[in-house]
Amino acid sequence: MTAADARPLPQRLILPMFGILLASYVINAMDRQIFPLIAADVRKEYGFSLADTGLLSTIFTLGMALAGWPTGYLLARFSRKTVLQIGIAIFSAGTLLTAFATSMADMLVYRAATGIGEAMQLTALIAIATTAFVGARAVAVGAVNASFGIGAMVGRLLANHALAAYGNWRGPIILFGAIGFVAMVVIAIVVRPSLTELRGRADGAQLEGGAATLMNRNTVILTVLSVIGGFIIYGYLGMYPVFLREQLHFTLADTGLVMSIYGVGVLCSLIGGWLGDRFSPRAVLGLAFLGAAVLGYLLFSAAQSFATQALLSFCWGFIVSGTIYVNLAALHVKAVVAPLAGRASGVFVTSLYGAAALAGYLIGFLASLAGWSHAGLIQITVLSGLGLLLSLVLQPGLMSVRKA
């Protein structure tokens, strides 16, 4: 780091530079939307089975789970900016190589690689956000999650236009993968280490409290809560569209619209983060898990109409993705001292996405065994109830806070 890089960053530059980092995550989200849209074309060309296609669509979560914890250790040894850029490079390369895959085996590798890259980028970005904005750490994580929601919505539109323009599924893959490398160059030139790194910053000194090791009560509880969060969030994301199509007989267009309305709920992540910064984590997480338990029952057992499912999905986006996900990520960092922020973020990513890799399979298995109503009751409502109870035994007094 040069002397210029180590100088405190002027306030007028903090938000624009952070905005560039968020824009790189918007690109990530745009890339993430490509494969589900082209999956039918890929399946037709390669002759993949439906199960194989489903595996290709979700294998990235396994890559994220495997890479989250090691990335935390990388952040303790290398600059956050470097780790973030390497993550973007791996994600973008995996996306590009998907267009040139010759078989199921190598395409699986490329799709899993995108998850590894995304885990590195997300882990570094959470660490950067929570130390750049020490007075509003959950809001900062909320901005990260909201940017993914923006990319998810914009990505669908751009992907459709790109498919029409290129005439085949490879064109959008190559285009979106290439944009990631452009983002790397912009970050390298514009974003200063004085924003991304702890060295040369006073932010860590503005905090007091927090455990000096990851083996502490709050982190252990938060890790279990993150596993629960992975099962309920990706149980919904992985199989809820199938439930709408096969159980409620929604059209493809109506199903897509309901999921877009869920995405609007995710855009409320800033509000979910604000709640987490202002009120006790016991209250915020406890009430959010209670809300998830009720929503799980209503979504899979009670609601039948399009309007009701759309309203419930908006609430799910806000309460579960916009509040539970955001505050779990922020609280992992708050539970420890500032130098452990990167490793704490890695624990969050590995625990949540490790469960996510199995969530779709589990709820599908339960639905085939006992029906959708019981599947939602067990995986969403019961697990959310457990999350509520565990939230109540967190110890907020042991977490790091900004000095008065």
Side-chain angles (χ1 to χ4, degrees):
M1 185 187 297
T2 66
D5 288 333
R7 287 200 300 265
L9 196 63
Q11 289 292 319
R12 61 184 175 81
L13 296 180
I14 291 177
L15 285 179
M17 288 190 183
F18 185 59
I20 290 172
L21 297 179
L22 293 181
S24 74
Y25 201 50
V26 169
I27 295 170
N28 181 308
M30 289 165 56
D31 286 352
R32 182 59 66 211
Q33 302 311 305
I34 295 175
F35 197 84
L37 289 173
I38 63 163
D41 297 314
V42 172
R43 183 182 175 217
K44 181 178 179 180
E45 179 175 330
Y46 288 85
F48 295 153
S49 69
L50 188 60
D52 287 344
T53 306
L55 180 60
L56 286 168
S57 295
T58 58
I59 192 66
F60 76 92
T61 58
L62 179 60
M64 292 191 72
L66 293 175
W69 180 276
T71 299
Y73 283 90
L74 286 177
L75 289 171
R77 291 161 176 77
F78 301 97
S79 75
R80 294 170 175 177
K81 181 177 176 180
T82 297
V83 173
L84 182 139
Q85 288 179 287
I86 292 173
I88 296 174
I90 294 173
F91 183 94
S92 299
T95 300
L96 281 170
L97 289 171
T98 300
F100 303 98
T102 60
S103 66
M104 176 70 179
D106 61 334
M107 192 175 287
L108 270 176
V109 172
Y110 302 147
R111 298 304 299 161
T114 66
I116 292 172
E118 184 173 348
M120 295 179 69
Q121 181 186 12
L122 177 60
T123 302
L125 192 51
I126 290 174
I128 291 168
T130 51
T131 51
F133 301 94
V134 293
R137 286 177 284 180
V139 170
V141 176
V144 173
N145 201 42
S147 69
F148 191 89
I150 292 171
M153 290 189 291
V154 174
R156 289 189 183 97
L157 297 175
L158 292 182
N160 285 332
H161 287 299
L163 278 169
Y166 285 92
N168 66 77
W169 63 269
R170 288 183 171 83
I173 287 274
I174 295 171
L175 175 64
F176 280 25
I179 294 175
F181 289 103
V182 174
M184 284 181 59
V185 174
V186 173
I187 291 171
I189 296 173
V190 177
V191 178
R192 298 183 190 175
S194 50
L195 172 72
T196 61
E197 313 308 321
L198 279 175
R199 291 175 298 168
R201 296 179 59 87
D203 300 74
Q206 296 177 23
L207 297 170
E208 58 184 359
T213 173
L214 292 175
M215 293 302 297
N216 66 85
R217 175 184 175 132
N218 283 328
T219 296
V220 171
I221 294 172
L222 288 167
T223 299
V224 178
L225 286 173
S226 297
V227 170
I228 292 172
F231 275 115
I232 66 173
I233 293 170
Y234 278 86
Y236 169 91
L237 288 176
M239 294 299 287
Y240 177 64
V242 177
F243 164 75
L244 291 180
R245 295 292 305 280
E246 296 187 359
Q247 183 70 17
L248 300 186
H249 305 293
F250 280 25
T251 65
L252 180 60
D254 283 347
T255 300
L257 184 54
V258 169
M259 296 310 295
S260 294
I261 293 171
Y262 154 78
V264 175
V266 176
L267 295 183
C268 297
S269 294
L270 289 169
I271 299 174
W274 177 82
L275 292 171
D277 284 326
R278 186 174 179 85
F279 301 104
S280 166
R282 290 177 179 172
V284 173
L285 279 182
L287 289 173
F289 273 113
L290 175 61
V294 174
L295 287 171
Y297 170 76
L298 294 176
L299 282 165
F300 290 96
S301 299
Q304 298 289 323
S305 69
F306 170 85
T308 306
Q309 287 289 341
L311 175 61
L312 293 173
S313 288
F314 170 82
C315 294
W316 182 274
F318 171 40
I319 294 173
V320 181
S321 293
T323 303
I324 292 178
Y325 178 94
V326 165
N327 283 285
L328 284 175
L331 287 169
H332 270 281
V333 175
K334 291 180 180 182
V336 296
V337 293
L340 289 179
R343 290 172 63 183
S345 297
V347 172
F348 164 72
V349 171
T350 288
S351 54
L352 189 136
Y353 286 98
L358 301 173
Y361 175 84
L362 177 59
I363 197 168
F365 172 77
L366 291 172
S368 65
L369 194 67
W372 282 106
S373 179
H374 286 88
L377 186 65
I378 295 170
Q379 185 159 331
I380 307 298
T381 300
V382 172
L383 283 182
S384 295
L386 178 59
L388 163 62
L389 296 176
L390 286 174
S391 298
L392 298 179
V393 296
L394 287 169
Q395 294 183 308
L398 298 181
M399 295 182 179
S400 61
V401 296
R402 193 171 188 174
K403 293 179 181 178

